[in-house]
Short mmCIF file of all heavy atoms in Angstrom, two decimals:
data_model
loop_
_atom_site.label_atom_id
_atom_site.label_comp_id
_atom_site.label_asym_id
_atom_site.label_seq_id
_atom_site.Cartn_x
_atom_site.Cartn_y
_atom_site.Cartn_z
N LEU A 1 -76.41 -127.57 33.66
CA LEU A 1 -75.11 -128.21 34.00
C LEU A 1 -74.84 -128.16 35.51
O LEU A 1 -74.28 -129.15 36.03
CB LEU A 1 -74.00 -127.47 33.30
CG LEU A 1 -73.96 -127.55 31.78
CD1 LEU A 1 -72.93 -126.65 31.18
CD2 LEU A 1 -73.76 -129.03 31.31
N LEU A 2 -75.31 -127.17 36.17
CA LEU A 2 -75.18 -127.13 37.72
C LEU A 2 -75.87 -128.32 38.34
O LEU A 2 -75.42 -128.87 39.30
CB LEU A 2 -75.73 -125.84 38.27
CG LEU A 2 -74.86 -124.58 38.12
CD1 LEU A 2 -75.59 -123.34 38.55
CD2 LEU A 2 -73.50 -124.74 38.83
N LYS A 3 -77.00 -128.63 37.78
CA LYS A 3 -77.84 -129.80 38.33
C LYS A 3 -77.40 -131.11 37.86
O LYS A 3 -77.48 -132.19 38.57
CB LYS A 3 -79.34 -129.55 38.00
CG LYS A 3 -79.90 -128.37 38.60
CD LYS A 3 -81.41 -128.26 38.31
CE LYS A 3 -82.06 -127.08 38.96
NZ LYS A 3 -83.48 -126.93 38.67
N MET A 4 -76.82 -131.24 36.69
CA MET A 4 -76.55 -132.54 36.02
C MET A 4 -75.08 -132.93 36.10
O MET A 4 -74.74 -134.07 35.76
CB MET A 4 -77.04 -132.55 34.64
CG MET A 4 -78.57 -132.34 34.47
SD MET A 4 -79.48 -133.60 35.37
CE MET A 4 -79.14 -135.07 34.49
N ALA A 5 -74.19 -132.05 36.44
CA ALA A 5 -72.74 -132.34 36.48
C ALA A 5 -72.51 -133.58 37.38
O ALA A 5 -73.10 -133.65 38.49
CB ALA A 5 -71.95 -131.22 37.04
N GLY A 6 -71.77 -134.55 36.89
CA GLY A 6 -71.46 -135.75 37.58
C GLY A 6 -72.33 -136.92 37.29
O GLY A 6 -72.12 -138.03 37.76
N THR A 7 -73.50 -136.59 36.65
CA THR A 7 -74.40 -137.71 36.20
C THR A 7 -73.88 -138.41 34.99
O THR A 7 -73.34 -137.87 34.11
CB THR A 7 -75.80 -137.06 35.83
OG1 THR A 7 -76.23 -136.24 36.87
CG2 THR A 7 -76.79 -138.16 35.53
N VAL A 8 -74.01 -139.76 35.05
CA VAL A 8 -73.47 -140.60 33.97
C VAL A 8 -74.47 -141.69 33.62
O VAL A 8 -75.01 -142.37 34.63
CB VAL A 8 -72.13 -141.27 34.36
CG1 VAL A 8 -71.56 -142.07 33.14
CG2 VAL A 8 -71.12 -140.25 34.80
N ARG A 9 -74.72 -141.94 32.40
CA ARG A 9 -75.44 -143.13 31.96
C ARG A 9 -74.36 -144.03 31.37
O ARG A 9 -74.01 -143.91 30.22
CB ARG A 9 -76.50 -142.83 30.94
CG ARG A 9 -77.71 -142.03 31.49
CD ARG A 9 -78.76 -141.93 30.40
NE ARG A 9 -79.90 -141.15 30.89
CZ ARG A 9 -81.05 -140.97 30.19
NH1 ARG A 9 -81.21 -141.41 28.99
NH2 ARG A 9 -82.03 -140.21 30.67
N ARG A 10 -73.89 -144.99 32.13
CA ARG A 10 -72.85 -145.89 31.65
C ARG A 10 -73.47 -146.96 30.73
O ARG A 10 -74.60 -147.42 31.01
CB ARG A 10 -72.13 -146.66 32.79
CG ARG A 10 -71.13 -145.65 33.52
CD ARG A 10 -70.29 -146.39 34.46
NE ARG A 10 -69.32 -145.49 35.15
CZ ARG A 10 -68.10 -145.26 34.61
NH1 ARG A 10 -67.72 -145.86 33.49
NH2 ARG A 10 -67.32 -144.45 35.21
N GLY A 11 -72.76 -147.26 29.63
CA GLY A 11 -73.22 -148.26 28.68
C GLY A 11 -74.14 -147.69 27.63
O GLY A 11 -74.76 -148.44 26.86
N TRP A 12 -74.08 -146.37 27.44
CA TRP A 12 -74.94 -145.71 26.44
C TRP A 12 -74.25 -144.41 25.89
O TRP A 12 -73.71 -143.69 26.54
CB TRP A 12 -76.34 -145.32 27.00
CG TRP A 12 -77.16 -144.70 26.00
CD1 TRP A 12 -77.39 -143.33 25.88
CD2 TRP A 12 -77.97 -145.30 24.93
NE1 TRP A 12 -78.30 -143.14 24.81
CE2 TRP A 12 -78.56 -144.33 24.26
CE3 TRP A 12 -78.11 -146.63 24.58
CZ2 TRP A 12 -79.45 -144.57 23.14
CZ3 TRP A 12 -78.91 -146.94 23.50
CH2 TRP A 12 -79.51 -145.94 22.84
N PHE A 13 -74.25 -144.28 24.52
CA PHE A 13 -74.05 -142.97 23.96
C PHE A 13 -74.97 -142.78 22.72
O PHE A 13 -75.64 -143.76 22.37
CB PHE A 13 -72.53 -142.91 23.45
CG PHE A 13 -72.13 -143.89 22.38
CD1 PHE A 13 -72.45 -143.67 21.04
CD2 PHE A 13 -71.42 -145.01 22.70
CE1 PHE A 13 -72.05 -144.55 20.07
CE2 PHE A 13 -70.97 -145.90 21.74
CZ PHE A 13 -71.29 -145.70 20.38
N HIS A 14 -75.06 -141.58 22.22
CA HIS A 14 -76.01 -141.25 21.13
C HIS A 14 -75.29 -140.67 19.96
O HIS A 14 -74.29 -140.21 20.02
CB HIS A 14 -77.13 -140.39 21.65
CG HIS A 14 -76.69 -139.08 22.20
ND1 HIS A 14 -76.25 -138.02 21.44
CD2 HIS A 14 -76.59 -138.66 23.54
CE1 HIS A 14 -75.90 -137.04 22.20
NE2 HIS A 14 -76.06 -137.40 23.48
N GLY A 15 -75.99 -140.82 18.80
CA GLY A 15 -75.39 -140.46 17.60
C GLY A 15 -75.39 -138.97 17.25
O GLY A 15 -74.72 -138.56 16.29
N VAL A 16 -76.08 -138.16 18.08
CA VAL A 16 -76.04 -136.69 17.74
C VAL A 16 -74.63 -136.15 18.04
O VAL A 16 -74.15 -135.27 17.35
CB VAL A 16 -77.06 -135.99 18.70
CG1 VAL A 16 -76.98 -134.48 18.55
CG2 VAL A 16 -78.45 -136.39 18.33
N CYS A 17 -74.07 -136.63 19.08
CA CYS A 17 -72.60 -136.34 19.35
C CYS A 17 -71.97 -137.33 20.16
O CYS A 17 -72.55 -137.73 21.28
CB CYS A 17 -72.61 -135.00 20.19
SG CYS A 17 -70.93 -134.48 20.71
N PHE A 18 -70.98 -138.03 19.69
CA PHE A 18 -70.23 -138.97 20.51
C PHE A 18 -68.67 -138.85 20.12
O PHE A 18 -68.32 -138.76 18.93
CB PHE A 18 -70.68 -140.36 20.40
CG PHE A 18 -70.62 -141.04 19.01
CD1 PHE A 18 -69.66 -142.02 18.79
CD2 PHE A 18 -71.50 -140.74 18.03
CE1 PHE A 18 -69.60 -142.70 17.55
CE2 PHE A 18 -71.49 -141.29 16.84
CZ PHE A 18 -70.57 -142.30 16.61
N ALA A 19 -67.94 -138.80 21.20
CA ALA A 19 -66.41 -138.68 21.06
C ALA A 19 -65.79 -139.99 21.26
O ALA A 19 -66.12 -140.74 22.26
CB ALA A 19 -65.92 -137.66 22.10
N VAL A 20 -64.89 -140.38 20.31
CA VAL A 20 -64.30 -141.71 20.40
C VAL A 20 -62.81 -141.51 20.56
O VAL A 20 -62.17 -140.81 19.82
CB VAL A 20 -64.57 -142.45 18.99
CG1 VAL A 20 -64.00 -143.86 19.10
CG2 VAL A 20 -66.04 -142.48 18.67
N HIS A 21 -62.30 -142.22 21.56
CA HIS A 21 -60.79 -142.18 21.82
C HIS A 21 -60.14 -142.98 20.73
O HIS A 21 -60.59 -143.97 20.26
CB HIS A 21 -60.51 -142.71 23.21
CG HIS A 21 -59.06 -142.47 23.67
ND1 HIS A 21 -58.12 -143.32 23.39
CD2 HIS A 21 -58.56 -141.38 24.19
CE1 HIS A 21 -56.95 -142.88 23.86
NE2 HIS A 21 -57.17 -141.66 24.40
N ARG A 22 -58.92 -142.53 20.38
CA ARG A 22 -58.13 -143.21 19.38
C ARG A 22 -58.04 -144.62 19.65
O ARG A 22 -57.95 -145.51 18.68
CB ARG A 22 -56.81 -142.51 19.27
CG ARG A 22 -55.81 -143.11 18.31
CD ARG A 22 -56.18 -143.10 16.91
NE ARG A 22 -56.61 -141.68 16.53
CZ ARG A 22 -57.10 -141.36 15.35
NH1 ARG A 22 -57.45 -142.37 14.48
NH2 ARG A 22 -57.47 -140.12 15.03
N SER A 23 -57.88 -145.06 20.84
CA SER A 23 -57.63 -146.48 21.17
C SER A 23 -58.81 -147.37 20.79
O SER A 23 -58.61 -148.56 20.54
CB SER A 23 -57.38 -146.64 22.71
OG SER A 23 -58.54 -146.17 23.43
N VAL A 24 -59.97 -146.82 20.69
CA VAL A 24 -61.19 -147.56 20.30
C VAL A 24 -61.13 -147.98 18.81
O VAL A 24 -61.47 -149.11 18.47
CB VAL A 24 -62.53 -146.83 20.55
CG1 VAL A 24 -63.74 -147.58 20.09
CG2 VAL A 24 -62.63 -146.44 22.07
N PHE A 25 -60.66 -147.07 18.01
CA PHE A 25 -60.56 -147.37 16.56
C PHE A 25 -59.46 -148.48 16.45
O PHE A 25 -59.57 -149.41 15.53
CB PHE A 25 -60.03 -146.12 15.80
CG PHE A 25 -61.06 -144.97 15.79
CD1 PHE A 25 -60.62 -143.79 16.01
CD2 PHE A 25 -62.36 -145.29 15.57
CE1 PHE A 25 -61.53 -142.65 16.01
CE2 PHE A 25 -63.32 -144.23 15.55
CZ PHE A 25 -62.88 -142.90 15.82
N GLU A 26 -58.46 -148.45 17.26
CA GLU A 26 -57.44 -149.49 17.14
C GLU A 26 -57.92 -150.91 17.63
O GLU A 26 -57.52 -151.90 17.15
CB GLU A 26 -56.20 -149.05 18.02
CG GLU A 26 -55.48 -147.90 17.52
CD GLU A 26 -54.48 -147.30 18.48
OE1 GLU A 26 -54.32 -147.84 19.59
OE2 GLU A 26 -53.69 -146.37 18.14
N ALA A 27 -58.89 -150.82 18.59
CA ALA A 27 -59.46 -152.05 19.09
C ALA A 27 -60.48 -152.65 18.25
O ALA A 27 -60.52 -153.96 18.04
CB ALA A 27 -59.97 -151.77 20.53
N ILE A 28 -61.53 -151.83 17.75
CA ILE A 28 -62.65 -152.47 17.07
C ILE A 28 -62.86 -151.91 15.66
O ILE A 28 -63.84 -152.28 14.93
CB ILE A 28 -63.92 -152.30 17.89
CG1 ILE A 28 -64.32 -150.85 18.02
CG2 ILE A 28 -63.76 -152.99 19.21
CD1 ILE A 28 -65.75 -150.65 18.58
N GLY A 29 -62.01 -150.95 15.24
CA GLY A 29 -62.21 -150.44 13.84
C GLY A 29 -63.10 -149.15 13.87
O GLY A 29 -63.45 -148.58 14.94
N PHE A 30 -63.51 -148.75 12.71
CA PHE A 30 -64.24 -147.54 12.47
C PHE A 30 -65.77 -147.77 12.35
O PHE A 30 -66.15 -148.93 12.19
CB PHE A 30 -63.68 -146.85 11.25
CG PHE A 30 -62.20 -146.44 11.35
CD1 PHE A 30 -61.27 -147.30 10.94
CD2 PHE A 30 -61.81 -145.28 12.00
CE1 PHE A 30 -59.87 -146.94 11.07
CE2 PHE A 30 -60.52 -144.96 12.19
CZ PHE A 30 -59.52 -145.80 11.67
N PRO A 31 -66.53 -146.77 12.33
CA PRO A 31 -67.99 -146.91 12.10
C PRO A 31 -68.20 -147.56 10.75
O PRO A 31 -67.44 -147.37 9.82
CB PRO A 31 -68.54 -145.49 12.08
CG PRO A 31 -67.58 -144.75 13.01
CD PRO A 31 -66.22 -145.36 12.70
N ASP A 32 -69.25 -148.37 10.68
CA ASP A 32 -69.60 -149.08 9.44
C ASP A 32 -70.05 -148.09 8.38
O ASP A 32 -70.86 -147.20 8.61
CB ASP A 32 -70.76 -150.11 9.72
CG ASP A 32 -70.84 -151.17 8.69
OD1 ASP A 32 -70.75 -150.86 7.48
OD2 ASP A 32 -71.02 -152.34 9.05
N THR A 33 -69.55 -148.27 7.17
CA THR A 33 -69.86 -147.35 6.12
C THR A 33 -71.01 -147.91 5.20
O THR A 33 -71.29 -147.27 4.26
CB THR A 33 -68.62 -147.11 5.22
OG1 THR A 33 -68.22 -148.32 4.66
CG2 THR A 33 -67.50 -146.51 6.03
N ASP A 34 -71.62 -148.96 5.57
CA ASP A 34 -72.70 -149.58 4.76
C ASP A 34 -73.92 -148.64 4.72
O ASP A 34 -74.51 -148.34 5.73
CB ASP A 34 -73.13 -150.95 5.34
CG ASP A 34 -73.98 -151.71 4.44
OD1 ASP A 34 -74.73 -151.14 3.61
OD2 ASP A 34 -73.94 -152.99 4.58
N ARG A 35 -74.27 -148.18 3.47
CA ARG A 35 -75.37 -147.21 3.40
C ARG A 35 -76.70 -147.84 3.74
O ARG A 35 -77.72 -147.09 4.15
CB ARG A 35 -75.46 -146.68 1.95
CG ARG A 35 -74.27 -145.77 1.61
CD ARG A 35 -74.22 -144.56 2.46
NE ARG A 35 -75.44 -143.82 2.55
CZ ARG A 35 -75.87 -142.92 1.68
NH1 ARG A 35 -75.18 -142.69 0.52
NH2 ARG A 35 -76.94 -142.28 1.88
N ARG A 36 -76.82 -149.10 3.76
CA ARG A 36 -78.12 -149.73 4.18
C ARG A 36 -78.43 -149.65 5.67
O ARG A 36 -79.54 -149.92 6.11
CB ARG A 36 -78.12 -151.24 3.81
CG ARG A 36 -78.28 -151.48 2.26
CD ARG A 36 -78.12 -152.93 1.93
NE ARG A 36 -76.72 -153.29 2.05
CZ ARG A 36 -76.33 -154.64 1.87
NH1 ARG A 36 -77.22 -155.53 1.48
NH2 ARG A 36 -75.05 -154.94 2.02
N LEU A 37 -77.44 -149.20 6.42
CA LEU A 37 -77.61 -148.90 7.82
C LEU A 37 -78.21 -147.59 8.16
O LEU A 37 -78.40 -147.26 9.25
CB LEU A 37 -76.28 -149.02 8.59
CG LEU A 37 -75.65 -150.42 8.74
CD1 LEU A 37 -74.27 -150.32 9.34
CD2 LEU A 37 -76.52 -151.42 9.49
N GLY A 38 -78.41 -146.76 7.14
CA GLY A 38 -78.87 -145.38 7.26
C GLY A 38 -79.68 -145.12 8.51
O GLY A 38 -80.77 -145.57 8.57
N GLY A 39 -79.11 -144.30 9.41
CA GLY A 39 -79.79 -143.95 10.66
C GLY A 39 -79.50 -144.92 11.80
O GLY A 39 -79.80 -144.56 12.92
N HIS A 40 -78.85 -145.97 11.55
CA HIS A 40 -78.48 -146.96 12.58
C HIS A 40 -76.98 -147.13 12.77
O HIS A 40 -76.57 -147.98 13.62
CB HIS A 40 -79.06 -148.33 12.24
CG HIS A 40 -80.55 -148.34 12.10
ND1 HIS A 40 -81.43 -148.12 13.16
CD2 HIS A 40 -81.29 -148.53 11.08
CE1 HIS A 40 -82.67 -148.25 12.68
NE2 HIS A 40 -82.65 -148.45 11.42
N GLU A 41 -76.22 -146.31 12.13
CA GLU A 41 -74.74 -146.41 12.31
C GLU A 41 -74.21 -146.30 13.73
O GLU A 41 -73.30 -146.97 14.13
CB GLU A 41 -73.98 -145.38 11.38
CG GLU A 41 -74.31 -145.63 9.93
CD GLU A 41 -75.49 -144.72 9.45
OE1 GLU A 41 -76.29 -144.26 10.26
OE2 GLU A 41 -75.55 -144.55 8.21
N ASP A 42 -74.79 -145.36 14.46
CA ASP A 42 -74.45 -145.12 15.87
C ASP A 42 -74.73 -146.32 16.71
O ASP A 42 -73.92 -146.79 17.56
CB ASP A 42 -75.05 -143.81 16.47
CG ASP A 42 -76.62 -143.82 16.35
OD1 ASP A 42 -77.11 -144.54 15.43
OD2 ASP A 42 -77.21 -143.19 17.17
N MET A 43 -75.92 -146.92 16.65
CA MET A 43 -76.34 -148.05 17.33
C MET A 43 -75.46 -149.27 17.03
O MET A 43 -75.09 -150.01 17.92
CB MET A 43 -77.81 -148.41 17.10
CG MET A 43 -78.35 -149.50 18.01
SD MET A 43 -78.26 -149.17 19.75
CE MET A 43 -79.45 -147.86 19.84
#
């Protein structure tokens, strides 16, 4: 953390852990619940 603090990859997040602000759900809805996406829901 001492070395990486302040580093940002804009335009990318990953499915292991991602935090979504409430306003995003209001804007585009919730993650897709379609089981055929298995493993691709985050993308």
Side-chain angles (χ1 to χ4, degrees):
L1 294 172
L2 283 174
K3 294 183 177 182
M4 297 303 292
T7 305
V8 184
R9 292 187 181 185
R10 286 190 176 270
W12 179 259
F13 63 80
H14 56 76
V16 175
C17 174
F18 63 107
V20 184
H21 191 268
R22 175 64 52 188
S23 61
V24 177
F25 298 135
E26 296 171 354
I28 66 169
F30 299 95
D32 199 317
T33 61
D34 191 333
R35 292 301 307 280
R36 286 174 290 179
L37 291 174
H40 300 292
E41 297 92 343
D42 56 332
M43 184 63 68

